Amino acid sequence: MRWLVSTVLLLCSVAYGLKDLGAPNWSCDASVMAKSKKVPTSAHSVRFADIKVIGALGDSLTAANGAGAPPGDPLAVILQYRGLAFQIGGDKSLDEHITVANVLRKFNPNLVGASKGIGSENVWEVAHLNMGVPGAESKDIIGQARALVSTMHSHSEINVKEDWKLVNIFIGANDICVYCEDPFFNSTAPHGKTTFENNIITAVKILQDNLPRTIVSLTGMFNMRMLRKIDKKKYFCEGLHTFECDCESNQKFTDDDIQGVCFGYMDGEKDIQNTGLFDNKDDFTFVVQPFFNGILDPPYSSPGVVDMTFFAPDCFHFSAYGHGNIGMHLWNTIVQPVGFKQTSVNLSDPSVGLHCPSTSCPFFPTTKNSKNCAAHFTLSELD
Ligand SMILES: *[C@@H]1O[C@H](CO)[C@@H](O)[C@H](O)[C@H]1NC(C)=O
Ligand SMILES: *[C@@H]1O[C@H](CO)[C@@H](O)[C@H](O)[C@H]1NC(C)=O
Ligand SMILES: *[C@@H]1O[C@H](CO)[C@@H](O)[C@H](O)[C@H]1NC(C)=O
């Protein structure tokens, strides 16, 4: 029954010709498209073409709920359009739809792990290594990290010891949705920040203990104050948000409260990277992609008019176009060196285009190679 419904909706979406954002004919200099002469052993010497496996942890924005929903059909938001997810979706080509997985396939067409089609996280044929679960809070990515490890170990197309893996994480929105119910909300204890931070640390530690040759790329938290600007005068959206995100519509949880907690989360994420907690093994590292941090405005189609084509019909999740747009900004942030990454982008401007890795430092940017790239060229690269 569920499959029938999905199929019918999929056909409808095709018929609607849903708006999307792709990068037709995108390519970079041959020197940055090439893989290393020898498989690198350090996480700080990994070229994009060396990445063989992609995985993701997260919530409904990683499961891509509603991303392929036809306009005006909020019920289709229960469907998980994993193949369109900005962190890991692999439904379409990069020409048609930008995701990190679709970009990486330009470097390595045999990339394993990209999600396809519609379905839940426990169906390998759909999810592949997209472990995102709708409604997940930061505490839930601990279980997702374990599921990712066991899924990788149980699929022979993945060589867990030898293959370089990229794991994308995006989490936090649902922590905000229940934050106002937390007894610590009214106290001054920095409970939210530390719990959120500790949950991420616990999850990433599981990855570090079980997955050699892995780079974890965390998409930084966004300021959920922005969502309230979308609600304004859209009573239909407000109703849905009350249902989907209680605290977002709780007026006692003020705009400043929401923003303060979100900023606390961002600081926690930065701390994890900057304290070097996950830089104690040479074949594992952790990088934050902070492009969401400074965004205060939703995307606009004209001055003051929110661009609803960016959102699924519930005004909360991203549409296919929203995923393509965010996928573009995430990729562009990934290729920037740590310390020089953009902390805000213009969501209203889809014409930015995809950037290429640097020709002078062609590696996946990490805390170490961003400080001193020359030290991370291996001897076989230099001869
Ligand atoms: C992409 O390449 C094809 C084939 O070379 C060409 O027909 C098409 O116009 C190109 N598209 C863009 C947007 O450059
Ligand atoms: C904390 O604030 C929330 C929202 O205003 C309220 O519902 C709750 O009762 C308060 N809790 C305590 C312990 O004061
Ligand atoms: C963002 O992009 C839109 C569309 O190009 C443009 O109209 C707007 O001025 C830009 N906003 C900022 C703050 O640069």
Side-chain angles (χ1 to χ4, degrees):
M1 184 58 199
R2 188 179 173 147
W3 283 108
L4 183 65
V5 172
S6 310
T7 309
V8 171
L9 282 165
L10 192 65
L11 292 175
C12 291
S13 331
V14 172
Y16 269 113
L18 285 184
K19 179 176 168 185
D20 208 336
L21 183 65
N25 301 345
W26 182 79
S27 173
C28 299
D29 192 274
S31 67
V32 303
M33 299 296 286
K35 62 181 181 184
S36 302
K37 289 180 185 155
K38 214 175 142 225
V39 178
T41 55
S42 163
H44 310 284
S45 307
V46 176
R47 289 166 178 267
F48 287 90
D50 296 329
I51 298 172
K52 293 202 168 153
V53 179
I54 187 168
L57 313 181
D59 55 25
S60 55
L61 296 171
T62 297
N65 279 74
D73 184 1
L75 288 182
V77 171
I78 61 164
L79 297 179
Q80 301 166 26
Y81 293 86
R82 286 178 191 270
L84 298 172
F86 71 92
Q87 299 202 101
I88 189 172
D91 266 1
K92 303 183 183 177
S93 71
L94 182 63
D95 288 4
E96 302 161 283
H97 182 68
I98 303 173
T99 71
V100 172
N102 287 345
V103 180
L104 282 178
R105 287 201 293 211
K106 286 276 178 176
F107 294 83
N108 172 16
N110 300 319
L111 184 76
V112 174
S115 44
K116 303 238 167 68
I118 302 170
S120 54
E121 77 289 351
N122 52 5
V123 182
W124 163 260
E125 291 72 17
V126 174
H128 292 266
L129 297 174
N130 178 345
M131 297 292 130
V133 178
E137 298 167 30
S138 57
K139 63 179 163 50
D140 301 311
I141 64 167
I142 297 166
Q144 290 183 25
R146 290 197 191 98
L148 182 66
V149 168
S150 70
T151 308
M152 281 193 190
H153 279 278
S154 62
H155 284 272
S156 57
E157 56 269 62
I158 299 162
N159 184 334
V160 176
K161 269 203 181 132
E162 304 286 327
D163 293 348
W164 277 100
K165 300 166 280 297
L166 173 66
V167 179
N168 296 307
I169 303 178
F170 184 43
I171 197 74
N174 292 306
D175 292 70
I176 302 292
C177 292
V178 297
Y179 192 88
C180 66
E181 290 150 15
D182 191 315
F184 286 84
F185 165 47
N186 307 326
S187 76
T188 52
H191 177 255
K193 174 180 168 179
T194 54
T195 304
F196 178 76
E197 190 174 336
N198 285 338
N199 287 337
I200 295 176
I201 290 171
T202 305
V204 177
K205 185 83 177 65
I206 289 167
L207 301 179
Q208 192 190 34
D209 288 346
N210 295 283
L211 300 177
R213 296 192 173 176
T214 297
I215 296 172
V216 175
S217 172
L218 181 129
T219 301
M221 184 58 183
F222 68 116
N223 185 347
M224 284 180 67
R225 181 178 195 158
M226 185 233 280
L227 283 181
R228 288 198 168 155
K229 297 192 181 174
I230 305 169
D231 287 341
K232 254 191 185 165
K233 302 204 191 84
K234 285 207 168 54
Y235 299 113
F236 173 68
C237 294
E238 254 178 44
L240 283 166
H241 287 196
T242 308
F243 173 69
E244 290 185 322
C245 186
D246 183 39
C247 297
E248 199 262 327
S249 45
N250 179 339
Q251 293 307 315
K252 282 191 198 147
F253 193 38
T254 66
D255 289 359
D256 285 344
D257 287 338
I258 289 194
Q259 175 165 295
V261 183
C262 291
F263 283 166
Y265 285 6
M266 292 170 199
D267 287 345
E269 293 171 338
K270 247 185 286 170
D271 280 353
I272 299 173
Q273 174 192 278
N274 294 345
T275 52
L277 193 60
F278 293 109
D279 278 330
N280 55 338
K281 282 185 183 175
D282 199 40
D283 71 347
F284 190 96
T285 196
F286 175 93
V287 185
V288 177
Q289 316 298 347
F291 66 95
F292 266 131
N293 293 12
I295 299 177
L296 296 171
D297 287 315
Y300 295 118
S301 50
S302 58
V305 180
V306 175
D307 180 3
M308 296 312 293
T309 67
F310 199 96
F311 298 96
D314 65 347
C315 325
F316 183 83
H317 293 96
F318 303 143
S319 63
Y321 167 69
H323 277 274
N325 187 317
I326 299 292
M328 171 179 75
H329 292 302
L330 173 55
W331 172 262
N332 287 344
T333 312
I334 285 174
V335 298
Q336 295 171 335
V338 175
F340 299 90
K341 288 184 183 290
Q342 55 191 351
T343 54
S344 189
V345 295
N346 184 351
L347 296 178
S348 312
D349 184 6
S351 71
V352 176
L354 282 178
H355 300 164
C356 284
S358 151
T359 47
S360 57
C361 189
F363 308 129
F364 191 108
T366 65
T367 49
K368 290 188 184 174
N369 66 30
S370 298
K371 279 204 193 95
N372 178 0
C373 192
H376 298 279
F377 280 90
T378 56
L379 288 175
S380 70
E381 295 269 355
L382 296 172
D383 61 22

